[in-house]
């Protein structure tokens, strides 16, 4: 199990109501990866070895921690900003 790495994010700012698309790019991801934003589960739209596309849960305005967990249990962190 390679440790996942985040190289970039796109659409990383969205409304606190949630439901926004958020793209996490990097390597070491896999189908079946899960994502939480501010501790709440995000809905994974698609996942591959190099990207994970999620729909955000509702959150509080400000910067929220994002945790991507691969099926093998490896994690990597990034952030998402709610407005």
């Amino acid at each position: 199990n390679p440790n996942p790495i985040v190289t970039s994010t796109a659409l990383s700012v969205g409304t606190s109501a949630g439901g926004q698309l958020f793209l996490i790019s990097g390597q070491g991801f896999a189908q079946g990866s899960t994502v939480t934003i501010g501790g709440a589960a995000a809905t994974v739209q698609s996942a591959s070895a190099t990207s994970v596309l999620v729909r955000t849960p509702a959150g509080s305005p400000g910067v929220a921690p994002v945790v991507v967990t691969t099926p093998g249990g490896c994690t990597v962190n990034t952030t998402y900003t709610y407005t």
Side-chain angles (χ1 to χ4, degrees):
N1 266 348
N3 282 332
I5 299 168
V6 173
T7 55
S8 66
T9 59
L11 309 172
S12 60
V13 177
T15 68
S16 58
Q20 306 295 305
L21 288 175
F22 175 43
L23 178 64
I24 304 162
S25 299
Q27 59 192 41
F29 304 130
Q31 191 71 29
S33 294
T34 60
V35 179
T36 60
I37 302 176
T43 303
V44 176
Q45 303 289 303
S46 65
S48 70
T50 57
S51 68
V52 180
L53 179 66
V54 302
R55 198 163 287 281
T56 62
S60 301
V63 177
V66 176
V67 180
V68 180
T69 305
T70 66
C74 298
T75 62
V76 65
N77 302 325
T78 187
T79 59
Y80 182 82
T81 302
Y82 286 107
T83 57

